[in-house]
Amino acid sequence: MQRLEEFRKHYPPERWMIREGSWDPGLQKVRETQFAQGNGRFCCRGVLEEIPYDSTPGTFIAGLYDRTGAQITEIVNCPNPINLRIDAYGEKLGLISMDHLHHERVLDLRHGVLSRQTVFRTTHKKCILYQSRRFVSMHNRRLGVMEVRVTPLDAAMTLNVQTTIDTSVSNKGVLTEGRKIHFMPHEVGQGDNISYLCVRTLESGTFVAYATSLEICRGERCKTVSERALRLRVHKGETITFRKFFTIHTSRSAKPHQLKRETIGDLRRARRRGLKRLFEDHAKAWDRLWGEANVEIEGDHAADQALCFNIYHLIIAGNAEDDVSIGARTLSGEAYRGHIFWDAELFVTPFFMYAFPETARAQLMYRCRRLDAARAIAASKDYRGALFPWESADTGEECTPSWARDFDGTIIRITTLDYEHHIVADIAFAVDHYCRATGDWSFMMRCGLELIFETARFWASRVTLNRKRNRYEIHDAMGPDEFHERVSNSAFTNTMARWNLQAACDRAREALARAPVKTKALMRRLGLTEREIRSWHRIASRIHVPGNARRKLIEQFDGYFRLRDPRITQLDEHFMPVLPASADYRTISKTQLIKQADVVMLLFLFPNRYSAEEKRRNYYYYERRTLHKSSLSPAIHSAVGLEVGDDDKAVHYLAHALSTDLSNIHGNAAEGVHAASAGGTWQAVIMGFAGMRIHPDHISFSPRLPPGWRALKFAVRFMGAKLRVSITHRKTSILVERPAARGRVFASVYGAKKQLKKHAYVDFHPSLSRRGGKSARARRSS
Ligand code: BGC
């Protein structure tokens, strides 16, 4: 039909498009996650505007949590502004309530626009064309716009139209809690064709205000209406257009008594600007974002498009302005109650460090502002320094629920909060990484140093001296592999602790040299002496990490090698390991089967600490025992696999990570995008396939492109400069697109170092014998 074709002119080129070509009720909730739109401040799930009875609308505001009725505080599902109910002859236009002849939806990743075309057919066999487009503005981060066009194709008809700010939404929660509403209406008003709604969260008492207005157009004639329930006669072939603008403000950004004025004022300005220009502002903002973050994989369309999808979801989660970080499922769903884990610092923040350093800084500031809360947790457990919570929300207190349902449905006690202390060092690691990548010394002096000191202090109080063996040990710990709780000397935990203690010594020395007055003042404030700092070095150098030196194997924890070792023999439909028949989840801790990258994560984080042989042996040992029951695992296996020459698996693991949410691989994409997996895909491509590493005086690459990839192109920020990198099988070219304030930038490719130029590519032609890809392949076949 011509009208369908005309509408498709809005669609982006194939690369930027995620398409739903037909209606599958079973996929409804997954699509709501995939099609989520946001701007870091708030996010709306990709619901169908008619809100079918089993859809799960979600409007989440970054950092807005409430506990009422829940076991533990959770992200608030706020009233839903995205809804439009149309009835024709008393029948609701909807994919469940009415027949349809055609249905498609397209998410434009380039500009964050969700478009839809459905041809409905009433029981009297009259067809109606329904088309919609909507966006959550990236320019004005408190604004959303929805446009719906309805055309009766066979006969004139009377339509009843309704749209509201739907307060009937709730947090789904868990079975035992039932549905919860975390807010109550505070004020409702109408005037100047604007509807106003203000709700207040029950426990935290935050006001959330909405202003909306509805415009109706017939041809060129548009008018704003005040009624929310309309009755309209529409001719055959005539198109009637509804435009809904909404603004959302909270009392965190405006004083409660000004909230109404600001929310309505913002809406008025938006209405005056009009849809066309609002969209232009929004699209320009997106163009700027992609100018920093776009990664192109030429020659592998599926990987290229899937990476684009993952980066889109990272971008819509990023927020440089508020005191927030990114939850395990972004703002696209309710899983993990919007809580923030180590996923943020080790998986997601690196993307922002290299694409949007100011957003990475804000994410780390979120932790800095919660240092006092972390100190209180440490003190409550008789430790010193700062112990960050395993799950964090608004206040920085521990938010891990004490029980949950396991993979097989049984109720289990959650012990991560008691033992998974590696998060402390993970956060310090991210602070240090951020400073190395950006050279942002002001952040280090503002709070980074304090965080690194206080986390080191924690470890110094967390270790136990084993006098007989003259070494420090850490008992009752849990590494990333959560199948083994409460172990002694988790290699991951101990290595991270060791790094944290040593980094604190190194950074103290550096800070005392660079800013002695400020550093000494900080030390005085913390009651920190040079003697204490020296003790950190002593502890770090004697922290025990278990292993078998002869076999060059790191032992995941004391006694791991003695556990039963069932073989993984079967793969599932996604080619991922199946739990062997001889094992079950209740007794899995008695086996060497592991949930996710643990020792392999160490190989990833410390690429220079281990020899090539150590990496190879450990990767193969643990890869064969990993069930990848966490979405954090595959991307890391891709990057490390590539380094040790497991090229085919590296490509396979990348493909798997890329489709985590696109193909709903873990079966729970309905509850939100897996943020760590999305961040992991970026890291696998940039740190794995492009082989990017940073050094104090330069940035290096050792690309290993799979045969099918023609080119890999991206931009990264390094030490304040913006570099553009283009990698093919024959050469790597790097350009300084925006210079750093300070000095020259050097880069090396396979070890050959050159100074980069502004606005002119410097080419690096690798000698084939030095290429990782080739030697890796040679190693594998030998
Ligand atoms: C993983 C953790 C992760 C959490 C949130 C768990 O299943 O084991 O490593 O932090 O999910 O994504």
Side-chain angles (χ1 to χ4, degrees):
M1 191 203 292
Q2 202 193 339
R3 285 179 200 257
L4 294 180
E5 275 312 317
E6 247 168 53
F7 191 77
R8 290 189 184 124
K9 286 188 190 137
H10 294 302
Y11 293 177
E14 179 68 22
R15 161 174 208 255
W16 297 97
M17 168 190 312
I18 301 297
R19 189 167 183 276
E20 167 185 79
S22 60
W23 164 241
D24 178 346
L27 282 178
Q28 180 178 197
K29 295 184 171 76
V30 174
R31 295 278 184 253
E32 289 172 358
T33 296
Q34 294 168 339
F35 291 163
Q37 296 168 290
N39 54 26
R41 183 161 274 155
F42 78 98
C43 181
C44 297
R45 279 169 64 79
V47 286
L48 294 156
E49 295 88 1
E50 67 267 27
I51 313 294
Y53 73 91
D54 56 351
S55 85
T56 46
T59 309
F60 301 106
I61 297 176
L64 187 66
Y65 296 89
D66 194 84
R67 179 161 179 182
T68 320
Q71 186 190 155
I72 206 93
T73 194
E74 60 187 11
I75 192 96
V76 176
N77 192 1
C78 293
N80 170 30
I82 299 200
N83 59 76
L84 186 77
R85 185 196 162 105
I86 303 180
D87 300 77
Y89 307 113
E91 286 178 65
K92 177 182 169 190
L93 269 64
L95 286 168
I96 293 183
S97 45
M98 193 179 270
D99 284 346
H100 64 277
L101 302 179
H102 176 84
H103 171 72
E104 70 189 33
R105 277 198 294 173
V106 164
L107 175 66
D108 173 352
L109 301 169
R110 189 181 47 176
H111 290 143
V113 178
L114 182 60
S115 302
R116 167 187 181 180
Q117 303 203 80
T118 307
V119 179
F120 289 111
R121 191 171 60 176
T122 67
T123 42
H124 298 99
K125 306 275 182 274
K126 302 283 183 266
C127 292
I128 302 163
L129 173 62
Y130 178 101
Q131 298 163 312
S132 72
R133 297 182 78 214
R134 61 186 209 234
F135 60 89
V136 164
S137 176
M138 226 4 137
H139 174 73
N140 174 356
R141 297 192 183 213
R142 295 190 171 89
L143 173 75
V145 183
M146 168 173 103
E147 180 181 83
V148 176
R149 302 181 346 181
V150 182
T151 316
L153 297 175
D154 303 323
M157 55 181 73
T158 301
L159 303 178
N160 291 304
V161 182
Q162 252 175 284
T163 179
T164 59
I165 302 290
D166 185 3
T167 50
S168 70
V169 294
S170 56
N171 278 71
K172 168 161 81 66
V174 283
L175 200 66
T176 44
E177 287 170 6
R179 292 185 166 270
K180 285 143 290 170
I181 299 182
H182 283 291
F183 53 82
M184 59 180 216
H186 176 73
E187 189 182 344
V188 184
Q190 222 166 38
D192 186 23
N193 293 334
I194 290 176
S195 301
Y196 178 75
L197 167 75
C198 183
V199 297
R200 189 173 193 193
T201 57
L202 296 176
E203 186 201 42
S204 50
T206 309
F207 293 101
V208 183
Y210 293 71
T212 72
S213 102
L214 184 68
E215 190 175 88
I216 300 184
C217 301
R218 291 174 182 259
E220 296 298 301
R221 277 186 305 114
C222 295
K223 66 171 183 186
T224 305
V225 295
S226 59
E227 314 89 83
R228 291 290 161 266
L230 304 155
R231 207 176 152 79
L232 300 158
R233 185 80 189 152
V234 191
H235 303 301
K236 172 181 166 186
E238 181 193 9
T239 298
I240 184 148
T241 304
F242 305 94
R243 272 182 211 135
K244 181 169 179 177
F245 303 86
F246 59 90
T247 50
I248 309 180
H249 288 233
T250 72
S251 56
R252 291 182 316 179
S253 56
K255 300 217 168 60
H257 68 278
Q258 291 166 344
L259 192 58
K260 185 171 182 179
R261 214 184 50 227
E262 293 199 2
T263 315
I264 291 178
D266 201 13
L267 184 83
R268 282 212 181 96
R269 282 189 296 279
R271 216 166 52 174
R272 273 201 302 276
R273 192 142 176 82
L275 177 70
K276 189 162 167 289
R277 280 189 296 167
L278 289 176
F279 177 70
E280 282 165 8
D281 298 340
H282 163 77
K284 267 195 214 137
W286 265 106
D287 288 342
R288 274 197 300 278
L289 293 169
W290 281 116
E292 305 297 305
N294 190 18
V295 180
E296 282 173 84
I297 300 173
E298 287 179 14
D300 185 340
H301 173 72
D304 182 54
Q305 193 187 36
L307 183 59
C308 203
F309 170 81
N310 281 280
I311 295 176
Y312 164 86
H313 276 285
L314 292 171
I315 292 177
I316 66 167
N319 181 328
E321 285 134 40
D322 300 317
D323 178 23
V324 295
S325 184
I326 296 179
R329 296 299 190 89
T330 69
L331 288 176
S332 59
E334 261 184 62
Y336 288 119
R337 303 174 192 255
H339 292 174
I340 294 137
F341 295 67
W342 73 311
D343 307 34
E345 283 77 17
L346 290 194
F347 293 82
V348 178
T349 312
F351 160 76
F352 289 99
M353 287 178 200
Y354 294 103
F356 305 105
E358 38 319 311
T359 311
R361 185 185 162 115
Q363 282 161 18
L364 298 172
M365 277 306 300
Y366 161 86
R367 294 293 192 181
C368 285
R369 292 198 184 96
R370 286 155 185 80
L371 251 179
D372 279 342
R375 286 188 184 103
I377 300 176
S380 73
K381 301 192 176 204
D382 289 332
Y383 297 123
R384 297 190 67 216
L387 169 53
F388 283 100
W390 176 244
E391 297 186 26
S392 183
D394 45 0
T395 61
E397 287 160 279
E398 181 59 77
C399 290
T400 308
S402 45
W403 57 269
R405 217 174 263 280
D406 202 4
F407 296 112
D408 60 4
T410 51
I411 298 289
I412 48 161
R413 210 176 91 69
I414 308 274
T415 55
T416 46
L417 76 163
D418 299 321
Y419 311 124
E420 213 162 345
H421 292 165
H422 65 80
I423 187 165
V424 171
D426 304 337
I427 294 170
F429 189 89
V431 166
D432 191 75
H433 185 181
Y434 166 79
C435 292
R436 284 186 291 121
T438 59
D440 184 352
W441 187 253
S442 69
F443 174 76
M444 194 50 115
M445 288 318 292
R446 179 165 171 205
C447 73
L449 196 59
E450 183 174 348
L451 188 146
I452 292 177
F453 284 165
E454 286 293 66
T455 47
R457 212 171 219 177
F458 163 75
W459 289 116
S461 69
R462 178 70 174 81
V463 296
T464 310
L465 177 64
N466 180 336
R467 285 185 198 283
K468 222 160 86 197
R469 300 189 151 184
N470 189 27
R471 67 188 192 196
Y472 285 96
E473 302 188 341
I474 299 179
H475 303 291
D476 297 326
M478 193 193 301
D481 161 33
E482 296 175 349
F483 287 169
H484 297 91
E485 305 170 329
R486 207 167 182 182
V487 299
S488 277
N489 295 317
S490 138
F492 184 86
T493 309
N494 290 20
T495 306
M496 292 302 289
R498 185 165 72 188
W499 172 87
N500 199 161
L501 288 157
Q502 190 53 48
C505 302
D506 298 344
R507 286 298 188 182
R509 205 178 327 110
E510 190 185 1
L512 282 167
R514 289 178 75 157
V517 178
K518 272 195 174 170
T519 309
K520 282 187 184 146
L522 171 66
M523 287 170 61
R524 265 197 306 280
R525 180 159 64 79
L526 300 179
L528 178 62
T529 59
E530 301 223 4
R531 190 150 164 252
E532 188 177 351
I533 296 177
R534 278 199 301 277
S535 78
W536 294 344
H537 173 71
R538 228 183 19 254
I539 298 171
S541 60
R542 283 158 64 203
I543 286 194
H544 170 60
V545 176
N548 179 323
R550 195 177 43 79
R551 290 164 69 199
K552 291 192 164 44
L553 275 183
I554 301 166
E555 186 171 22
Q556 193 176 287
F557 52 82
D558 283 349
Y560 172 84
F561 288 148
R562 291 198 303 273
L563 297 176
R564 201 161 66 76
D565 195 12
R567 262 185 192 283
I568 294 174
T569 51
Q570 241 185 308
L571 299 179
D572 67 11
E573 72 274 25
H574 301 296
F575 300 100
M576 279 308 193
V578 172
L579 181 72
S582 62
D584 63 75
Y585 285 113
R586 263 183 312 108
T587 56
I588 202 155
S589 63
K590 307 238 174 333
T591 74
Q592 290 191 37
L593 294 169
I594 62 176
K595 182 177 176 187
Q596 66 198 91
D598 187 301
V599 169
V600 171
M601 188 74 199
L602 276 184
L603 307 179
F604 176 72
L605 294 178
F606 298 102
N608 300 325
R609 176 163 291 185
Y610 304 102
S611 70
E613 186 57 15
E614 278 173 310
K615 283 186 200 167
R616 204 179 62 78
R617 291 201 180 195
N618 283 287
Y619 167 84
Y620 281 112
Y621 190 89
Y622 287 102
E623 194 264 343
R624 284 179 191 137
R625 291 161 176 83
T626 307
L627 288 171
H628 303 287
K629 280 290 174 192
S630 157
S631 70
L632 277 61
S633 199
I636 301 305
H637 278 79
S638 173
V640 180
L642 203 61
E643 224 184 317
V644 302
D646 201 2
D647 297 16
D648 295 342
K649 278 240 182 86
V651 171
H652 160 74
Y653 277 127
L654 176 68
H656 182 91
L658 284 170
S659 39
T660 295
D661 292 308
L662 273 174
S663 305
N664 191 14
I665 287 192
H666 294 269
N668 55 13
E671 293 156 35
V673 161
H674 295 76
S677 174
T681 61
W682 184 90
Q683 294 196 62
V685 170
I686 305 300
M687 282 129 179
F689 289 87
M692 185 181 89
R693 305 274 181 272
I694 53 166
H695 313 269
D697 60 343
H698 75 288
I699 185 164
S700 69
F701 297 90
S702 21
R704 298 175 186 92
L705 296 198
W709 293 15
R710 273 200 316 278
L712 174 60
K713 298 179 176 169
F714 55 92
V716 281
R717 299 271 286 273
F718 173 60
M719 290 289 178
K722 180 179 172 191
L723 313 180
R724 202 154 271 292
V725 184
S726 165
I727 299 170
T728 65
H729 288 274
R730 292 193 24 244
K731 67 173 183 184
T732 296
S733 310
I734 312 177
L735 164 102
V736 178
E737 193 172 292
R738 263 197 324 265
R742 279 180 302 134
R744 302 167 299 174
V745 188
F746 288 88
S748 74
V749 177
Y750 304 122
K753 193 160 148 190
K754 295 183 186 176
Q755 186 180 339
L756 300 180
K757 291 187 196 147
K758 194 177 155 191
H759 301 319
Y761 276 107
V762 171
D763 291 339
F764 297 78
H765 297 273
S767 81
L768 270 181
S769 61
R770 288 160 86 180
R771 292 190 55 174
K774 182 160 185 216
S775 51
R777 270 190 288 283
R779 264 204 309 276
R780 202 172 39 153
S781 54
S782 63

